[in-house]
Amino acid sequence: MSKRLQGLWLLLVAFTVFQTTLSLDFKYYSYNEMYATVRNITSGCKEISRVYTIGKTVQGRDLVVVEFSDNPGKHEILEPEFKYVGNMHGNEVIGKELLLHLVNEICTTYKRNSTIMNLVRNTRIHILITMNPDGFMAAKEGMCVGVTGRPNANGFDLNRNFPDPFYSRTYPIQPETEAIMKWLKAYPFVLSANLHGGAIVANYPYDNYRNGKGTSGFYAKSPDDTFYRHISTVYAEHNARMRSGTACSGDNFPGGITNGAHWYSLAGGMQDYNYRYTNCFEITLELSCCKYPSNTTLKTFWDENKESLIAYMQQVHSGVKGLVTKNNVTLENAVVRVTKIDKTVNTTKDGEYWRLLPPGRYEMSVENCVKMVTVRKGQVARLDFELAQCSTNGVVTLAKGSAPFSLGTILVTVYRLLL
């Protein structure tokens, strides 16, 4: 064989091996298979990935998180942190497999996919593929309804197990729930979604209001209802079946979204806990009519949700972010307010804050320092507060990576600030 043919043959072999490493079967992975597959996938993108655990289940299985960042293992100042959580109900399995495929997608395409590359460079992404592996291992393929495998190994529904201001829990917080709560304290998460099954809809807070379990059909409007409707719509509009609002028998969800309590009310849910007790905004994604459908449907679900999963992550780069300082010293736990929106966020130990907001003009404040800011679609406004030099005439600049102001926009902004 000539050297030229030999070289071509080696290239072909290398290409075949490369393609094989990119392939991920559409099947249900057992817990051990999933863990091994995660390790195998991320071994090919060590420079942007990290695998870590946040706790153990009742039966001793690790709750495994895959992190993606251009500096894995490190928080970068003013870089937002995002999370996906799958398989909270062990018998609602589509989310688990979609997140495994999302890990593979990020790892294998970030060098050639500009959208993925920008996300990895400007976001710290955390993916908990399964929150309830014990339940998953008890569930059965083909069971579209029922509760086999739904709870954890102690028999508790994890999506009824979080602290709730309107409901006095009489049963103990479970290890999986406790792990999530500690996780939320350890990382400055900004945006999140948890993946379920049994319907096809994007469900946003609140799931209940004032009266605990409440009455289904009552719209429990959160202070950030406009933004929640926006991000839920972003997910739904990229998924044709979800967008139809009638994908499953009996469903009627205009635009493919719903307020949680308006659909049915529950207490102790994870999305409300995120919003009420932390800085993190979370929605619940119901992704399949059948909770545990045949594995032959997995490719279809991936095709339906791939773009939605990516587009939703991009929404973490919305609204306003900045630093709060006093005499150039960063302030931890400073309270950041938006006038007329009854939801505050607190600064991190590094004095950072992120405030997700839809496009518009807002008055924001920290202590007695008040500033105005304009949020534009697809951009993040940068608004810092130096409390020792407080002024009511705030100067707004764009955050790193945002499109620059045009001269006309600058003049309009200056004019508005002088009003």
Side-chain angles (χ1 to χ4, degrees):
M1 183 183 293
S2 69
K3 288 185 177 181
R4 182 180 179 184
L5 287 175
Q6 196 172 37
L8 289 173
W9 181 81
L10 289 172
L11 283 173
L12 179 61
V13 171
F15 178 76
T16 302
V17 172
F18 179 68
Q19 287 296 98
T20 301
T21 61
L22 294 186
S23 177
L24 184 64
D25 291 339
F26 286 96
K27 69 168 194 173
Y28 292 115
Y29 290 77
S30 70
Y31 173 79
N32 289 336
E33 289 175 330
M34 180 209 72
Y35 200 169
T37 300
V38 162
R39 291 290 186 184
N40 184 48
I41 292 170
T42 55
S43 68
C45 60
K46 292 179 179 178
E47 70 275 23
I48 63 161
S49 67
R50 178 175 72 110
V51 179
Y52 67 98
T53 63
I54 61 170
K56 291 184 179 293
T57 68
V58 172
Q59 295 180 342
R61 294 183 173 94
D62 287 326
L63 294 171
V64 180
V65 177
V66 184
E67 174 196 329
F68 289 106
S69 168
D70 57 353
N71 286 291
K74 298 178 181 178
H75 173 71
E76 298 180 73
I77 297 297
L78 287 177
E79 182 170 280
E81 308 223 5
F82 176 94
K83 64 181 169 70
Y84 272 131
V85 178
N87 202 207
M88 184 182 199
H89 289 146
N91 65 336
E92 297 174 14
V93 299
I94 292 300
K96 170 180 171 291
E97 305 310 329
L98 292 186
L99 291 183
L100 184 58
H101 280 270
L102 181 62
V103 166
N104 188 58
E105 181 74 13
I106 294 173
C107 190
T108 60
T109 70
Y110 79 99
K111 288 183 178 178
R112 65 179 186 272
N113 184 320
S114 60
T115 299
I116 297 295
M117 183 180 292
N118 287 334
L119 274 169
V120 171
R121 286 179 175 176
N122 298 296
T123 321
R124 194 178 182 195
I125 301 164
H126 305 254
I127 301 174
L128 176 58
I129 296 172
T130 172
M131 180 182 166
N132 187 5
D134 296 354
F136 170 73
M137 295 304 291
K140 304 295 182 183
E141 183 174 349
M143 294 189 67
C144 291
V145 296
V147 296
T148 301
R150 176 185 175 92
N152 74 344
N154 282 337
F156 289 98
D157 186 329
L158 298 177
N159 205 31
R160 309 293 190 277
N161 195 236
F162 285 83
D164 189 294
F166 309 120
Y167 180 66
S168 297
R169 189 181 58 256
T170 58
Y171 45 85
I173 291 179
Q174 296 300 294
E176 297 88 350
T177 307
E178 187 174 355
I180 294 291
M181 293 168 65
K182 289 180 178 178
W183 193 32
L184 280 161
K185 290 181 179 179
Y187 294 86
F189 292 115
V190 178
L191 183 63
S192 173
N194 71 90
L195 282 57
H196 288 247
I200 298 182
V201 66
N203 171 7
Y204 54 90
Y206 285 129
D207 275 329
N208 75 335
Y209 188 67
R210 296 192 186 284
N211 58 344
K213 291 187 176 181
T215 303
S216 297
F218 174 74
Y219 194 111
K221 185 176 181 179
S222 77
D224 285 283
D225 188 71
T226 300
F227 185 76
Y228 269 124
R229 290 177 61 85
H230 164 69
I231 58 175
S232 299
T233 298
V234 166
Y235 194 96
E237 70 183 4
H238 287 87
N239 181 324
R241 281 212 293 170
M242 184 178 288
R243 186 174 64 247
S244 74
T246 57
C248 305
S249 177
D251 281 357
N252 182 22
F253 303 118
I257 69 174
T258 185
N259 172 259
H262 191 254
W263 180 20
Y264 69 92
S265 185
L266 65 90
M270 186 164 69
Q271 71 173 12
D272 283 11
Y273 177 82
N274 272 260
Y275 182 66
R276 283 182 166 132
Y277 294 98
T278 80
N279 292 336
C280 186
F281 287 45
E282 179 170 286
I283 66 172
T284 299
L285 298 169
E286 304 278 353
L287 301 177
S288 61
C289 302
C290 177
K291 293 182 178 182
Y292 201 151
S294 166
N295 65 83
T296 59
T297 64
L298 291 175
K299 176 64 164 59
T300 298
F301 282 111
W302 172 244
D303 291 340
E304 288 177 345
N305 288 278
K306 174 183 172 181
E307 295 305 320
S308 293
L309 289 166
I310 294 170
Y312 184 79
M313 285 192 288
Q314 291 176 306
Q315 303 314 301
V316 75
H317 298 283
S318 303
V320 185
K321 67 179 181 179
L323 296 173
V324 177
T325 58
K326 191 168 186 177
N327 295 317
N328 295 318
V329 177
T330 57
L331 296 182
E332 182 179 3
N333 282 326
V335 179
V336 181
R337 293 181 169 83
V338 181
T339 302
K340 297 182 180 179
I341 299 181
D342 188 21
K343 162 67 179 176
T344 61
V345 296
N346 293 73
T347 56
T348 68
K349 62 182 179 61
D350 297 309
E352 314 149 281
Y353 77 90
W354 297 264
R355 186 54 171 93
L356 297 175
L357 291 164
R361 184 158 170 78
Y362 300 93
E363 180 181 88
M364 297 183 65
S365 63
V366 179
E367 296 182 2
N368 64 338
C369 193
V370 181
K371 294 189 176 187
M372 300 300 297
V373 62
T374 298
V375 175
R376 290 177 172 80
K377 184 178 180 181
Q379 299 178 356
V380 182
R382 172 74 180 269
L383 186 66
D384 296 334
F385 291 87
E386 169 48 69
L387 301 187
Q389 301 173 2
C390 182
S391 169
T392 57
N393 291 322
V395 177
V396 181
T397 59
L398 284 178
K400 171 186 172 183
S402 298
F405 284 121
S406 66
L407 177 60
T409 302
I410 293 172
L411 292 174
V412 169
T413 302
V414 171
Y415 170 75
R416 286 176 174 172
L417 289 174
L418 292 175
L419 290 178

